[in-house]
Amino acid sequence: MRIVLDTNVFLVSVLPRHKYWWVFQALLDREYDLLVSTDILTEYLEQCTLRYGLNTTEERLDFLLDLPNVELITPSFHWRLIHADPDDDKFVDCAVAGNSDFIITNDGHFNILKDVPFPKVATLRIDEFQEILVERRKFRT
């Protein structure tokens, strides 16, 4: 499964004691492939540094691109689909260019994508993503 994590999901998943640590742990366990662009990585870095400080951020992000299931995508087209928050377009651009299955987000701005006929970009809330991972685990055992 190829996914893009919105920053709001990434932020709550990188701390081991947080209730959404399972998102990051599933990445480490190679349960999905994470697609990122330079713009997304820059936002992850900025937002994590603001919330958690530089040391914690560097610990979490230094090895991210070394993971075999993290793919750096270079979008060649900007779709400009999220008019309410154009800063979120970077996630759409990465998802389309990387042929992702889903953008995982709890941000309501992405709801507009349900009404966009082309390109089709599917989104999931974090709890829906968890349900899919649980179902996939059942089939692996």
Side-chain angles (χ1 to χ4, degrees), residues 16-76:
R17 288 180 210 74
H18 197 281
K19 74 177 189 174
Y20 295 115
W21 167 251
W22 61 265
V23 174
F24 200 77
Q25 186 62 55
L27 174 66
L28 297 175
D29 293 342
R30 299 183 185 180
E31 293 186 54
Y32 63 88
D33 294 337
L34 176 63
L35 308 179
V36 295
S37 66
T38 302
D39 288 342
I40 291 172
L41 288 172
T42 299
E43 183 166 302
Y44 285 175
L45 178 64
E46 289 171 356
Q47 294 302 314
C48 284
T49 300
L50 283 173
R51 285 166 177 75
Y52 308 130
L54 190 57
N55 289 339
T56 300
T57 299
E58 286 179 344
E59 279 178 23
R60 299 289 181 242
L61 295 182
D62 272 353
F63 74 98
L64 193 63
L65 287 176
D66 290 335
L67 294 174
N69 55 326
V70 175
E71 187 176 339
L72 182 62
I73 302 296
T74 305
S76 58

Side-chain angles (χ1 to χ4, degrees), residues 1 3-6 8-10 12 19-20 22-23 101-114 121-134:
M1 180 169 34
I3 67 159
V4 174
L5 289 178
D6 186 14
N8 64 32
V9 174
F10 186 79
V12 298
K19 74 177 189 174
Y20 295 115
W22 61 265
V23 174
D101 296 300
F102 305 105
I103 297 174
I104 312 302
T105 183
N106 284 347
D107 184 340
H109 292 135
F110 287 86
N111 291 340
I112 190 73
L113 297 175
K114 294 174 186 166
V121 180
T123 63
L124 291 175
R125 297 186 57 76
I126 196 167
D127 56 325
E128 295 169 320
F129 180 50
Q130 186 174 32
E131 290 173 15
I132 288 174
L133 289 180
V134 168

